[in-house]
Amino acid sequence: LRRMLNDALGPADADFAWAWRLARAEFLCSRRAGDRAGQAAAAERGVVWARQALRRDAQRVEGHYYLALCLGQLAEARSRLGLVKPMEAAAKQAAELDPRYDGAGPLVFLGKLYLTAPGWPLSLGDVERAVATLQRALALDPRPLTRLFLAQALAEDDQREAAAGELQQVLAASSALEPRWRAEAERLRQKLGLAVRDPAP
């Protein structure tokens, strides 16, 4: 369906509803791509559709949000540090319009960006800002993945006790996480030296 719509609709022809949904579809395809070339190609298409959505209606959250996500996929696939600031700008605009959208997605994206980007002077990485942003996201929508990112940020900020507390809650709900995130939770558990908890009866 995604391919049919891409073939049938050019960006200039798509209305807002189609444009942002196609941006989301390309983002999901980028995440599932088997190699960096496929990831980049889908992300680039997603950027085009997200920008079309913004041209149709820049006062809605969807275009800004999926522009940030697709730029993030493109930056990862192409190792392009220069995309970090546009990613931040798009996500901040999305957060201003609707911070609760997609499970507080704009704030989660920003928090993870501040956690993983290089720090000054190379880029805008800032672990304290990551902690504050993810705490805000968690207050709006307490999802296990958001809590995992917060635990990672707290650990990077040398707040080991707080990180352990958040991670214990993540591990208790780890079945809700995708395998890649369960693996990250396990790595953080080992880093913090937490004991393996027996599953609940």
Side-chain angles (χ1 to χ4, degrees):
L1 177 60
R2 173 187 61 87
R3 289 179 180 175
M4 290 174 60
L5 290 171
N6 269 296
D7 291 340
L9 291 173
D13 301 319
D15 65 11
F16 172 79
W18 278 116
W20 81 258
R21 285 176 171 84
L22 283 163
R24 179 179 64 184
E26 295 294 359
F27 163 68
L28 294 174
C29 288
S30 179
R31 282 188 60 196
R32 294 167 184 163
D35 55 39
R36 287 182 177 269
Q39 178 181 341
E44 286 173 340
R45 292 191 297 267
V47 167
V48 171
W49 287 117
R51 286 177 172 157
Q52 172 62 10
L54 290 175
R55 282 191 289 271
R56 295 297 187 186
D57 191 344
Q59 298 307 307
R60 292 279 299 273
V61 64
E62 294 92 338
H64 298 283
Y65 181 57
Y66 287 105
L67 177 59
L69 292 181
C70 289
L71 286 172
Q73 288 295 109
L74 185 57
E76 179 182 291
R78 294 279 174 81
S79 300
R80 291 173 59 180
L81 191 58
L83 292 176
V84 169
K85 287 187 177 180
M87 289 157 55
E88 181 196 31
K92 287 177 75 172
Q93 185 61 42
E96 288 178 13
L97 289 168
D98 186 357
R100 295 179 182 273
Y101 182 73
D102 194 30
L107 292 171
V108 175
F109 180 89
L110 282 169
K112 188 66 169 174
L113 180 62
Y114 295 140
L115 176 60
T116 57
W120 186 90
L122 292 177
S123 190
L124 46 72
D126 183 330
V127 68
E128 291 182 358
R129 199 173 185 185
V131 168
T133 305
L134 290 165
Q135 285 174 333
R136 184 183 170 200
L138 194 66
L140 292 175
D141 196 322
R143 296 188 176 193
L145 183 58
T146 305
R147 197 177 297 279
L148 171 60
F149 293 162
L150 176 58
Q152 291 172 328
L154 288 165
E156 287 297 315
D157 198 36
D158 292 326
Q159 299 186 50
R160 293 178 62 87
E161 185 174 345
E166 297 293 347
L167 183 60
Q168 293 285 17
Q169 295 186 64
V170 173
L171 295 172
S174 63
S175 61
L177 297 174
E178 295 178 13
R180 64 177 292 197
W181 301 124
R182 288 200 296 270
E184 287 206 15
E186 174 59 20
R187 283 193 289 271
L188 183 57
R189 184 195 66 76
Q190 294 178 15
K191 178 180 177 179
L192 295 175
L194 299 181
V196 177
R197 297 178 63 178
D198 293 330

